[in-house]
Structures are given as C-alpha cells and as structure tokens.
Amino acid sequence: MKDFVSVRLGRFASFQLHKKTLLFSALGLLLTILVAIVSLGMGEMKIAPLDVLKVVLGIGAEDHALIVEQFRMPRIIIAILVGAALAVAGAIMQGIVRNPLASPDILGVAGGASVAAVSFLLLFTSVSIKWLPPVAFLGATLTTLLLYALAWKKGVTPLRLVMIGVGIKIAAGAVVTILIIFSPFLLQNKALLWLSGSIYGVEWNDVWMIMPWVIILILAAAALTRRVNIQQLGDDVATSLGSILQWDRFFLLMICAALTGTAVSVGGDISFVALLAPHIAKQLIGPSFGGALPVSAFIGALIVLLADLVARMAFSPIEVPVGVFTSAVGAPFFIFLLYKNRNR
C-alpha cells in the first residue's frame, strides 16, 4: 500500500491513487501551464513568457494586459476546458464498454450533439446563444440512449457498439449536411466553421458559460471511479460485488453525454481527442479508471492547446480550425487501434 495515496471527496467518495498517477498528473498540470503561457505570448504581437507571467500576476504592461487578458486568455481557457471535457468523456465511454476504440465522436454521441447544435444555430437565430450548451447536451443524451438501446442484445458487445455507433455518426453527418444545404449562406458559413472544430472568437462569456458544467461533471465522474473500475471486471462480477449495474451505467452515460455536449457547444466537433487522451493515459499509468481520469484530462487539455497553437501560428495570418489538426493526428492513431484490435 506504500505505492498508493488515499483521496477523499468529502463524504461522497474516497479512493486510492497510485503514486505514478499523481506523478503524471503533476507533470500534466505543469506541461499544461507551460504550454498555456507560451500560447498566451504567441500571435501577431509576440509577448515573452516572463511578460505573460507579469500580466497574469497583475503587474504587466497595459498593452500586454489588453492582448493577453481580453483576446488570448479566454481562448486558452476554453481549449483547456474543451480538451479536458472530451478526454474525460472518452475515458468514461472506454471504461463502460471496455473497448479502447470507444469514444463519443467515433460512436456518434458528438454527432448527435452536432445535429442539435447546428439545428439550434440555423433554425433558432433569435434565441440567446446561452441555450446552446443545454441543447447540445440534449442531443448528446438522446444519441447516447439510442446508441445503447440499439446495441443491446442480452448485453452490449464492443463490436456491435462500434458498428452501430459508426452508423449513427454517419446518419448524424447526413442530417447536418441537409440542414446546411437548405440554410441561408451566412448561416452556412457559421455552421461549417463550428463543425470543423474551432475555438476562434471565443469570449469570457463562453468561459463562464461552460466552466461550471465541466468542473461539476468531472468531479461527478471522479466520484464514480470505483463503480467504473468494478464494471471493467465484467457485468457478472460487477453484479456479484453489489453494483447496481444498470443505474451506474445510466448515470455514467449521462455524465459522458453532458461533457460531450458541453465541449461541442463551444468548441465545435473537435474529433479524436476523446479517443487519444484516455488511451495515452492508460498506456502511462495502467487500466484503472481512477488513475486514468485526471491524467486523461490533462492530456486532452494539452492536445487541444497544442492543436490551437499550431492552428494559429502554422499558416499565419490564416487560422486553420483546431479540429483539422486533431483529426490529422487522430485518424492514423484510430487506424492503428483498429489494426491492433482486429481479432477482438
């Protein structure tokens, strides 16, 4: 037990984390902060990391403060929140179905959120944008329930879940395409930019809109880590250990859907982060969900942060959507996972 540290979430949950998990979590936090500081200084007007730190501490120059605090910092925080939310959603999905190929975007959950969000953007132009997160959450929730219902036949097998999920993803893409075709030109551009996975133009209002959702949902997922770990032993074993399997699975799926919907509502359809981050985390610290959760969150934040930095600087002054770079990395990785798991 010397390799473990006890962690308590008040009276709601307690669990033990391996010291390796704490080490990689601390490393992930440090790297996230360093990349965020570098990214805050990059742009048309470059600002040295030391000057960025001065701005963060409230002692920086006024012109630096204006650029960092008003234009760049909201975007950096959104990148961190979106990346962490997608990564934790992916970790939950992979933990429930016990399949490294499972993720909200591959299995159509993000597609359902996209259908709901694009419908909202194109059909309800007079409604406040503040309603976008709950709308995207509703789309992700309904798609998750549909996916699980269609995949159920005396249980859910990984192959059936992946096949049905891919079908739902394709169907959702078709619905989104139809909506865009029959919409006004200006709204089409808005929807297409959102679908490409872009955090361009986000503001502090967007940060305050999704931050509470992301924090609460990640804490809720952390409180249920023991139940996910039990489910990874198999349905029969989990039931014999006293787990209320269907209720646990239902709540976990709702958390996954809510995280996906929240991330998609602001960041658009950023692909493969939910697949990459949990898989990398498990390679680093092992299969335990309790250990993979915080490490996945930091890795997801780093992926989106780095993708956003490249998107802003690689072809400056033209900005490429973040989702283009996550897809460029994620697609080959997904093919590799398919090849690795071809006999399952």
Side-chain angles (χ1 to χ4, degrees), residues 2 6 36 40 73 79 96 104 140 146 156 171 235 267 275 278 281 314:
K2 294 181 179 179
S6 297
L40 284 170
M73 192 173 291
I96 291 175
L146 176 63
V156 175
D235 291 0
L275 174 70

Side-chain angles (χ1 to χ4, degrees), residues 219-242:
L219 289 176
L224 296 173
T225 51
R226 183 177 299 172
R227 302 184 184 186
V228 179
N229 286 332
I230 291 175
Q231 289 191 34
Q232 289 179 330
L233 299 174
D235 291 0
D236 293 337
V237 175
T239 302
S240 67
L241 292 175

Side-chain angles (χ1 to χ4, degrees), residues 26-44:
L27 182 60
L29 176 61
L30 178 61
L31 288 174
T32 301
I33 293 173
L34 291 176
V35 173
I37 291 173
V38 171
S39 188
L40 284 170
M42 300 300 289
E44 291 187 11

Side-chain angles (χ1 to χ4, degrees), residues 8-206:
R8 289 185 176 274
L9 297 177
R11 297 179 299 172
F12 301 101
S14 64
F15 49 91
Q16 292 183 325
L17 288 178
H18 199 280
K19 289 183 179 179
K20 184 186 291 187
T21 300
L22 295 177
L23 173 63
F24 281 108
S25 296
L27 182 60
L29 176 61
L30 178 61
L31 288 174
T32 301
I33 293 173
L34 291 176
V35 173
I37 291 173
V38 171
S39 188
L40 284 170
M42 300 300 289
E44 291 187 11
M45 178 180 179
K46 290 182 172 57
I47 303 174
L50 183 59
D51 293 329
V52 172
L53 281 175
K54 289 180 180 179
V55 171
V56 174
L57 296 174
I59 57 175
E62 291 186 5
D63 56 338
H64 291 170
L66 175 64
I67 293 173
V68 170
E69 293 179 355
Q70 298 302 319
F71 298 109
R72 295 179 184 172
M73 192 173 291
R75 182 167 182 164
I76 300 305
I77 296 175
I78 286 291
I80 293 172
L81 292 173
V82 168
L86 290 174
V88 172
I92 293 172
M93 185 72 77
Q94 292 179 14
I96 291 175
V97 303
R98 303 185 296 276
N99 187 343
L101 297 176
S103 72
D105 48 343
I106 299 299
L107 301 186
V109 178
S114 296
V115 171
V118 170
S119 299
F120 177 83
L121 290 172
L122 298 180
L123 303 178
F124 300 93
T125 55
S126 61
V127 181
S128 173
I129 196 67
K130 292 182 179 180
W131 286 99
L132 186 56
V135 169
F137 161 68
L138 179 62
T141 301
L142 294 177
T143 305
T144 302
L145 294 175
L146 176 63
L147 168 65
Y148 199 78
L150 293 176
W152 180 269
K153 185 180 180 182
K154 297 180 180 180
V156 175
T157 64
L159 178 59
R160 191 184 304 129
L161 195 67
V162 170
M163 295 300 292
I164 293 176
V166 170
I168 291 177
K169 175 182 174 67
I170 294 172
V175 172
V176 168
T177 300
I178 292 173
L179 287 171
I180 292 176
I181 289 174
F182 290 99
S183 299
F185 178 73
L186 293 177
L187 294 178
Q188 287 180 359
N189 289 339
K190 184 178 181 181
L192 288 172
L193 178 63
W194 183 88
L195 284 171
S196 63
S198 175
I199 55 176
Y200 172 79
V202 295
E203 301 175 347
W204 280 109
N205 288 336
D206 300 305

